[in-house]
Amino acid sequence: DGSIVWVSINAAAIKNAAGLPVRAIATVLDINDRKRAQWLDQDKNDILEAAVKQLPLDDILARLAKALERQIVDSAAAVLLIEEGNVRINGPTLPAEWREALRLHCVSLAVNLAINAWDSPGFCGITFPQRDDTWINLRSTADHLGIESCWTIPIQSNDDNPLGLITLFFRLTRP
């Protein structure tokens, strides 16, 4: 399917009595899970370090979005942050066309995604731009960009007030 697989290769030459190689033997071990765990640890430390250094919130949210994308294949992540009645979008790798479409409809979109997520088991709402009414104003852009689904997880304060949403957009794999 064209996806990258991380492997560890060990090889050894088998030699004859004269010391000349006559065969080789090798093992190939899939280390995707190990690599993903390493990235998760690196990303977690990077985000925590940014918070400790009191970097701007946008920088921390951008690091969070990139960490999610590295862990979840074929996704584009964004954090929608509620701020003084507005919604700010932080998605550093979102296509500019998608970011602009989201920006134009961000308040109504955030409300609908949040309702869907809070009503879903495990607080993870899944919507589909091609068929869910939430996306009616962004449907053509989503189709053009190959966006197939959106997973949404609400961010809440300690006293259960909504702070924002973590959104993951998944693209269709098109030939």
Side-chain angles (χ1 to χ4, degrees):
D1 68 0
S3 60
I4 295 173
V5 177
W6 288 88
V7 297
S8 173
I9 300 174
N10 292 306
I14 300 173
K15 299 177 182 181
N16 63 16
L20 298 172
V22 292
R23 254 194 221 159
I25 187 167
T27 60
V28 179
L29 179 64
D30 179 339
I31 61 166
N32 269 333
D33 290 340
R34 183 185 330 159
K35 196 69 171 168
R36 203 168 267 118
Q38 287 174 346
W39 288 338
L40 181 60
D41 197 43
Q42 289 170 355
D43 291 339
K44 177 183 68 173
N45 289 337
D46 182 49
I47 293 165
L48 290 173
E49 183 179 310
V52 167
K53 288 182 176 179
Q54 297 182 350
L55 294 181
L57 183 58
D58 282 343
D59 290 352
I60 296 169
L61 296 177
R63 291 170 191 230
L64 174 61
K66 287 180 183 178
L68 288 167
E69 291 171 355
R70 191 149 69 151
Q71 288 296 313
I72 303 171
V73 178
D74 293 329
S75 71
V79 178
L80 281 64
L81 190 64
I82 300 168
E83 191 174 64
E84 298 177 8
N86 294 310
V87 177
R88 187 171 60 183
I89 300 167
N90 192 311
T93 66
L94 294 178
E97 181 180 358
W98 186 240
R99 189 179 305 114
E100 180 60 15
L102 292 173
R103 187 189 67 73
L104 292 173
H105 302 281
C106 62
V107 173
S108 62
L109 180 63
V111 168
N112 288 324
L113 291 174
I115 289 168
N116 182 275
W118 276 304
D119 289 344
S120 299
F123 276 171
C124 181
I126 301 173
T127 56
F128 301 91
Q130 294 314 310
R131 66 174 190 240
D132 291 336
D133 288 342
T134 296
W135 296 98
I136 197 156
N137 294 320
L138 293 107
R139 191 162 285 150
S140 62
T141 307
D143 185 51
H144 169 71
L145 295 171
I147 296 172
E148 180 180 63
S149 64
C150 173
W151 293 14
T152 305
I153 301 166
I155 306 168
Q156 295 176 292
S157 67
N158 289 337
D159 54 357
D160 294 331
N161 288 319
L163 298 175
L165 303 165
I166 295 174
T167 55
L168 293 171
F169 301 102
F170 291 89
R171 295 182 185 103
L172 288 169
T173 305
R174 295 188 177 175

